[in-house]
Amino acid sequence: MVSATVRRVIGDLTGRTHRTTIGLLTAQLDATVRGVDLAADLAAGRVSPPEARERMAGVEHEGDERRAALVAELSAALTTPLDREDLYRFSRSVDDVLDGLRDLVRETDLFGLPGNPADLPALRAVREGLIALREAVGALTGTPARVHQGAMAARKAAGRVRRAYQEAIAALLREEVRVDTLGRRELLRRLDGIGRRLKDAAADLSDALLKRGH
């Protein structure tokens, strides 16, 4: 009977464990994309804040499950596509993006505010950055240049989130102060924070490649 350790060694030698790790990272990113899609539906008025908040709880749970499975895999794997500490850090930054999206939706509901279409450009940029990271992760066992390109595209997308935040804050400050002004400002800050976490994830991936000499 083949022991679990021998199976693990065979899996490492055949690349199966690397594919498993990449698959789990991809699944975590897919859950995060679903989170930004839900936030965009809220911003566009396609779902109400209470409904979006309830649905986001399920998306967050899915993301947490994928991350937990990844952490377990990294703990058991003999070899990983990149240093396990770097993969863990990258996964944590992706988790922070999803947490920020959760908080954006939850606070919109808590503050009694509707979704705001002005958030859509920033949310589209977050989505594009996540897709770029997903493509980069898929190339981890292939061409390092594609991973670098994906990480760079995600960083550029994060920059667009920052610019969208600055423009929205400037527009808000030009308006007359209303009851909901402070709440809107807090939601914009939350959106800016999501962009910063996206930038962190891109940097984590780039740094991991550099450590491996790519």
Side-chain angles (χ1 to χ4, degrees):
M1 184 176 180
V2 180
S3 69
T5 301
V6 172
R7 287 196 299 271
R8 175 65 65 177
V9 171
I10 292 172
D12 281 356
L13 290 174
T14 60
R16 188 168 63 244
T17 55
H18 286 201
R19 291 193 295 273
T20 299
T21 299
I22 290 170
L24 290 169
L25 280 171
T26 300
Q28 185 187 1
L29 284 160
D30 284 342
T32 310
V33 169
R34 282 189 280 277
V36 76
D37 286 346
L38 180 55
D41 284 342
L42 171 61
R46 289 188 287 267
V47 296
S48 67
E51 180 185 357
R53 182 178 179 180
E54 181 179 356
R55 287 170 55 185
M56 185 63 83
V59 174
E60 182 190 16
H61 179 68
E62 179 185 354
D64 288 344
E65 284 189 333
R66 300 296 182 268
R67 174 162 164 73
L70 174 67
V71 170
E73 177 65 22
L74 291 176
S75 298
L78 299 178
T79 63
T80 53
L82 297 172
D83 290 353
R84 70 187 72 237
E85 295 83 1
D86 294 326
L87 289 174
Y88 180 88
R89 188 178 301 110
F90 171 72
S91 173
R92 183 178 60 195
S93 293
V94 173
D95 186 54
D96 288 342
V97 173
L98 183 53
D99 285 348
L101 291 164
R102 173 206 62 199
D103 290 341
L104 176 67
V105 169
R106 181 173 63 87
E107 289 169 2
T108 299
D109 186 35
L110 285 174
F111 297 164
L113 296 176
N116 196 317
D119 293 344
L120 288 171
L123 290 170
R124 281 194 291 267
V126 173
R127 191 183 200 281
E128 290 170 10
L130 291 169
I131 295 299
L133 289 178
R134 186 175 65 185
E135 292 174 354
V137 165
L140 280 176
T141 57
T143 308
R146 288 181 56 200
V147 184
H148 278 298
Q149 290 167 1
M152 181 60 68
R155 292 188 69 170
K156 289 181 178 178
R160 293 199 298 276
V161 177
R162 180 66 174 174
R163 290 192 293 274
Y165 159 75
Q166 292 170 334
E167 292 169 1
I169 282 290
L172 185 66
L173 293 176
R174 288 193 295 267
E175 296 177 359
E176 182 179 349
V177 176
R178 303 187 304 271
V179 174
D180 61 355
T181 298
L182 289 179
R184 176 62 182 155
R185 186 181 67 177
E186 291 304 309
L187 293 178
L188 287 172
R189 286 178 174 174
R190 181 67 65 188
L191 193 55
D192 184 45
I194 293 168
R196 291 198 302 271
R197 301 293 82 76
L198 176 64
K199 183 178 179 180
D200 289 344
D204 291 339
L205 196 57
S206 292
D207 291 347
L209 280 176
L210 289 174
K211 285 174 65 176
R212 281 289 175 100
H214 294 303

